[in-house]
Amino acid sequence: MMYLLIIIAFGFSLWAQFRVQGTFKKWSTVPSQSGMTGYDAARHMLDSNGLHDIPIEPVRGALSDHYDPIHRVVRLSEPVYYENSISAISVACHEVGHAIQHKQHYPMLVLRHRIFPIVNFASGIAPLLIIAGFLFQWAGLLGLGIVFFSVAVAFQLITLPVEFNASNRARDIMVSEGYITNDEERGVAKVLNSAALTYVAAALISVLELLRYIMIFANNNRD
C-alpha cells in the first residue's frame, strides 16, 4: 500500500511540474493591463515596502526566479524580468513577498533560515546512512539515517507556509496597488497556485518516504 501511495505521489509531482510550466506559458502570452514588466512590479513593490536597497537582477534559465536572503537580492529569470505578462508580474511579486517576509522576520522564514545549515548536512548524509543500514542490516545506522532524513522532511514542510504566505502577500499588494485589475486576479491565482503545487508534491513524497523507512525500521526491530 505504501509503495502505491509513493507511486501516486510521484505521478502527482510530475503532473505538478507540467502544470506549472503550462500555466506559466499560457499566462505569459497575456499582457498585464497596467503594462508593468516583472521588473517594474518588483521594483515598485520593494520600494513601497521600504526595501529601496534591495536590487533586482536578471538571471538566465526558465523559472529560476528566487530571493537570495544572504546577499539580499531578488533574482528574476529573463522572461520574468523583461516581459509585462500576467505570469511575469505574478512570479516577480511572489519573490518580493519573500523579501518582505525577511524584513518583517516572518517566523517560518526565520526558522527555515536557521535550520538550513543543519538540513544541508542532514540531506547529504541521510541517504548514505540509510543505504548502509540496508546493506549491512544495521538497525542503528538505519535509525540514524531516518533521524537525519526527518530533518530534511521538516524543512520541506516548513517551506510550504513560507511559499503560500509569499503568494498571499503578492496577490494582496498587486490588487491594492493596482498592478492588476480584479479581472486579472484569476490569472495571477492560477500562476501562483500551480507553482505552490510543486512544493506540496515534493513535501508529500518526502513524508511518504519517511513513513516507509520508519515502517521498515519498526518491522526489523520486531523480527
Side-chain angles (χ1 to χ4, degrees):
M1 183 62 180
M2 181 58 67
Y3 287 103
L4 177 60
L5 290 175
I6 292 174
I7 291 172
I8 293 173
F10 270 109
F12 175 60
S13 178
L14 290 174
W15 173 79
Q17 292 289 341
F18 283 117
R19 180 176 172 80
V20 70
Q21 293 173 10
T23 303
F24 182 87
K25 183 177 181 180
K26 174 183 177 181
W27 290 96
S28 66
T29 63
V30 181
S32 62
Q33 293 186 32
S34 66
M36 299 177 80
T37 63
Y39 169 82
D40 295 333
R43 185 72 271 160
H44 191 283
M45 189 169 165
L46 286 167
D47 292 345
S48 65
N49 284 275
L51 296 170
H52 308 278
D53 58 326
I54 293 184
I56 306 169
E57 300 175 352
V59 293
R60 294 183 178 180
L63 298 176
S64 53
D65 314 86
H66 63 280
Y67 168 65
D68 182 342
I70 297 176
H71 299 97
R72 299 188 73 241
V73 57
V74 173
R75 297 192 176 97
L76 303 177
S77 59
E78 291 179 343
V80 169
Y81 187 97
Y82 293 109
E83 294 178 6
N84 68 335
S85 66
I86 294 297
S87 288
I89 61 175
S90 299
V91 172
C93 290
H94 171 85
E95 298 308 331
V96 175
H98 288 308
I100 296 173
Q101 288 175 334
H102 194 184
K103 176 189 176 183
Q104 297 179 352
H105 304 288
Y106 176 60
M108 299 305 285
L109 184 70
V110 172
L111 178 59
R112 191 173 75 164
H113 287 171
R114 285 179 177 173
I115 70 171
F116 180 75
I118 301 172
V119 172
N120 208 22
F121 172 76
S123 60
I125 197 171
L128 299 177
L129 291 172
I130 291 172
I131 292 172
F134 282 130
L135 288 176
F136 300 109
Q137 295 294 302
W138 190 350
L141 278 179
L142 178 58
L144 188 59
I146 290 172
V147 170
F148 280 116
F149 187 68
S150 65
V151 174
V153 173
F155 181 81
Q156 289 191 315
L157 292 176
I158 292 169
T159 294
L160 293 180
V162 172
E163 294 299 327
F164 281 110
N165 179 266
S167 289
N168 289 336
R169 289 172 187 266
R171 288 174 61 181
D172 290 345
I173 292 175
M174 290 169 76
V175 172
S176 63
E177 296 289 332
Y179 304 174
I180 58 171
T181 64
N182 290 332
D183 292 338
E184 292 174 315
E185 191 174 359
R186 183 177 70 90
V188 171
K190 285 185 175 295
V191 172
L192 296 179
N193 290 341
S194 65
L197 282 177
T198 60
Y199 292 98
V200 173
L204 178 60
I205 290 172
S206 294
V207 168
L208 291 175
E209 284 284 346
L210 177 61
L211 290 175
R212 183 170 72 90
Y213 293 141
I214 291 174
M215 290 171 62
I216 293 172
F217 180 77
N219 289 335
N220 288 345
N221 282 346
R222 278 201 297 265
D223 294 341

